[in-house]
Amino acid sequence: MTESLIVPGDRLDIKSENIILGPGFYVDPKTDEILPTNAGILEVSQKQNKTVYVIDSKSKTYIPKTNDFVIGIITGTFGELYKVGLSEFTQAAQMSVYAFPNASKKNRPHLKVGDVIYARVLSAERDIEVELECIDPTTGKEGGFGQLEDGYLFTVNLAYARYLLFNENAEILTELVKKCKFELAVGCNGRIWIKSETVKTTITCVKIIEESQNWSKQDIPKKLKEVWAAFN
Amino acid sequence: MVLPEYQTSLLNKVDGSSTISIGEVKVICSVTGPIEAKPRQELPTQCAIEVNIRPEVGVGSTREKNMEDKLRVVLNGTINKFQYPRQLIQVHLHIISKSQATENNLKDLHACINGAYLALIDANISLLSSFLSTYAVINDDRLIFNPTSEQIQSSISHHLVCFDIKSGRADELLFVDSVGEFTEGELMTVLDQSIEEIESMNKIVRKTITEKVSRDYIWKY
């Protein structure tokens, strides 16, 4: 793992042709030099004849990117717009009341301040406000987006949230599902919404997922058992 | 010579944090950002950087303001500010225990610069390069790095040198602050020797970062 560790200022032999640069890089506008700017693990992969470079690093503050799935909290309603908070101390994103499937002037959702929604980032330009929508762009239908009712909301670090979101068979979830039934929504902004049958199981699941950020894969069954036993 | 000790990610309410102990000096540093800036701080094309240094007791005085200004010079040169337009990055440092040698604040500032670097790395703030500083004194015509407080008190000149680090090598001089009586030749020697010192220090810091990253990604392996 030491080999793939990158810190800011390291020189990388990356040719600027046929590449896609992911997060963690900055191209100097004067010299066109590719600079790594974050400390993390360098991941190189191939996609349609192009080499993709990404520096995967842990962070807590979320910066919206188009097509991210996020969990937001409604912080205000202004005419036909909702203000949605994606992370603390950052500018709220906006969402049109028509950004729901089949929404019209007469048939529109009634969300209140404090409601939790699962949405997709529609656009995230650096100079204008971030916009969200609750429609699956491929089908035009609900597709799992919309209001998340009841349940419990908590946060984990962003790298872990991405891992849980992109790996349906994440070990911690496959192990946890053996213990109890639950519904789960993971947002790229580090928020996780969980709903299970009783308050006790919900709190246990929350504790287990939070703690599992510090567990290695082989420790999961043992540690999960310990935490589960402590609560039940 | 006293080797610095580092630790990261100890505060959980901020984006990045670190502590650093160099001899008797101990500093705790936290970084929050990028967050929404106040209207008066906001810059249209780049991020604002707010630096706060707190002394071990009481409220900050001119001594801390002076250190804040010097630290801001270093941070302005290394944070990739254009990545975060109209945002704010807050760097807070609290001096837990300060240098016993009270003639100057260079030893404290030395700890602050290195602490801020680790906290920025922990907060995943975009940096154009790594940076580290060293503190040296000239005592009886000898150059001493990381001096003890007795050595500081009996020295005639004090130098704080901060370089940016590219590919593990000290590259550009970011900041130098000297106090006392010295010649131009002496300052040049200090700069030359600092390069080696910073490069060897970088190896230890890099190890700290490697440990941090493997701890962050423990769930992946």
Side-chain angles (χ1 to χ4, degrees):
Chain A
M1 200 192 120
T2 325
E3 292 80 49
S4 57
L5 176 88
I6 296 290
V7 297
D10 281 1
R11 284 285 163 277
L12 296 171
D13 253 342
I14 300 180
K15 291 191 191 75
S16 54
E17 282 160 18
N18 272 332
I19 56 161
I20 299 174
L21 287 180
F25 288 97
Y26 177 69
V27 182
D28 191 314
K30 282 181 196 151
T31 58
D32 270 348
E33 200 180 356
I34 297 164
L35 304 166
T37 57
N38 296 96
I41 307 163
L42 179 68
E43 283 176 3
V44 185
S45 56
Q46 292 290 329
K47 193 182 182 186
Q48 295 162 357
N49 312 331
K50 287 190 174 174
T51 320
V52 184
Y53 293 92
V54 173
I55 296 179
D56 201 359
S57 49
K58 186 203 87 166
S59 61
K60 289 184 191 159
T61 294
Y62 173 67
I63 299 164
K65 296 274 176 329
T66 310
N67 280 332
D68 274 357
F69 295 174
V70 291
I71 296 178
I73 301 173
I74 308 285
T75 56
T77 51
F78 298 92
E80 295 189 335
L81 283 179
Y82 287 119
K83 286 273 173 213
V84 187
L86 296 181
S87 53
E88 279 150 29
F89 311 114
T90 52
Q91 213 178 18
Q94 64 179 32
M95 184 173 67
S96 162
V97 294
Y98 302 116
F100 290 85
N102 304 323
S104 64
K105 260 211 152 62
K106 282 177 189 149
N107 175 29
R108 53 158 85 168
H110 290 283
L111 297 175
K112 294 185 300 294
V113 171
D115 281 349
V116 179
I117 52 146
Y118 196 57
R120 185 179 73 92
V121 178
L122 182 64
S123 77
E125 300 290 330
R126 51 192 263 161
D127 295 313
I128 50 174
E129 265 177 84
V130 175
E131 203 177 340
L132 308 177
E133 71 168 7
C134 285
I135 305 170
D136 185 337
T138 49
T139 59
K141 293 210 178 81
E142 204 173 42
F145 297 115
Q147 191 183 356
L148 300 170
E149 278 165 288
D150 307 327
Y152 186 90
L153 197 64
F154 64 103
T155 52
V156 294
N157 78 57
L158 300 187
Y160 195 55
R162 284 194 296 268
Y163 173 75
L164 293 181
L165 180 60
F166 301 138
N167 296 280
E168 281 174 24
N169 298 319
E171 291 71 14
I172 183 68
L173 300 180
T174 49
E175 285 292 323
L176 195 56
V177 87
K178 290 179 194 160
K179 293 276 188 189
C180 62
K181 272 197 264 179
F182 58 85
E183 272 182 79
L184 188 82
V186 184
C188 282
N189 54 346
R191 285 195 176 135
I192 296 180
W193 172 89
I194 191 165
K195 184 178 165 185
S196 75
E197 285 158 333
T198 64
V199 176
K200 197 163 141 188
T201 51
T202 307
I203 298 296
T204 315
C205 290
V206 168
K207 199 74 196 157
I208 287 171
I209 296 174
E210 272 179 349
E211 297 270 313
S212 69
Q213 293 178 84
N214 304 318
W215 298 347
S216 67
K217 273 185 184 170
Q218 69 216 39
D219 286 350
I220 287 176
K222 195 180 113 228
K223 295 245 173 116
L224 191 144
K225 222 173 181 175
E226 275 171 27
V227 180
W228 188 269
F231 276 86
N232 290 281
Chain B
M1 190 176 123
V2 205
L3 279 179
E5 280 169 38
Y6 314 95
Q7 200 195 333
T8 57
S9 317
L10 62 154
L11 306 175
N12 55 11
K13 294 282 180 195
V14 292
D15 291 317
S17 54
S18 71
T19 53
I20 179 166
S21 327
I22 304 173
E24 78 277 16
V25 179
K26 190 172 185 192
V27 172
I28 185 163
C29 178
S30 79
V31 171
T32 312
I35 56 172
E36 195 175 357
K38 285 179 205 142
R40 66 179 172 85
Q41 293 172 314
E42 203 175 280
L43 301 167
T45 56
Q46 51 183 295
C47 71
I49 298 167
E50 187 183 311
V51 183
N52 290 302
I53 298 182
R54 289 286 170 151
E56 51 182 348
V57 282
V59 289
S61 62
T62 45
R63 182 180 182 272
E64 281 70 33
K65 273 279 165 282
N66 178 254
M67 285 164 70
E68 283 172 15
D69 285 346
K70 287 171 182 171
L71 180 58
R72 195 177 292 113
V73 170
V74 175
L75 298 185
N76 262 320
T78 47
I79 293 178
N80 185 6
K81 292 187 288 184
F82 295 98
Q83 189 84 1
Y84 311 110
R86 303 179 316 286
Q87 310 275 65
L88 171 71
I89 291 166
Q90 282 180 323
V91 181
H92 287 274
L93 295 115
H94 200 123
I95 296 165
I96 305 284
S97 89
K98 69 174 183 184
S99 166
Q100 281 157 12
T102 46
E103 289 84 7
N104 60 63
N105 55 19
L106 292 187
K107 195 172 182 182
D108 295 345
L109 185 59
H110 168 47
C112 288
I113 292 177
N114 294 318
Y117 168 64
L118 281 173
L120 285 167
I121 288 283
D122 190 36
N124 201 28
I125 299 290
S126 181
L127 300 176
L128 291 172
S129 66
S130 301
F131 61 94
L132 285 175
S133 69
T134 60
Y135 175 42
V137 293
I138 296 175
N139 193 334
D140 289 338
D141 290 333
R142 277 189 311 130
L143 185 61
I144 306 166
F145 283 100
N146 292 319
T148 61
S149 38
E150 291 80 39
Q151 286 168 325
I152 295 174
Q153 273 153 353
S154 60
S155 301
I156 36 171
S157 74
H158 310 258
H159 307 270
L160 177 75
V161 182
C162 178
F163 272 95
D164 74 350
I165 297 163
K166 286 184 175 155
S167 306
R169 307 229 144 262
D171 192 49
E172 267 176 69
L173 182 62
L174 286 175
F175 179 74
V176 56
D177 195 8
S178 301
V179 179
E181 251 176 63
F182 55 91
T183 62
E184 193 182 337
E186 277 173 341
L187 180 64
M188 288 305 160
T189 325
V190 171
L191 291 180
D192 276 346
Q193 302 254 333
S194 298
I195 291 179
E196 273 171 46
E197 180 70 20
I198 283 176
E199 281 171 5
S200 65
M201 211 169 132
N202 183 39
K203 285 189 189 119
I204 308 168
V205 174
R206 218 186 150 104
K207 218 158 121 198
T208 314
I209 298 173
T210 313
E211 279 163 22
K212 178 198 114 61
V213 173
S214 30
R215 211 168 41 240
D216 290 345
Y217 283 88
I218 188 164
W219 40 267
K220 206 169 180 178
Y221 300 98

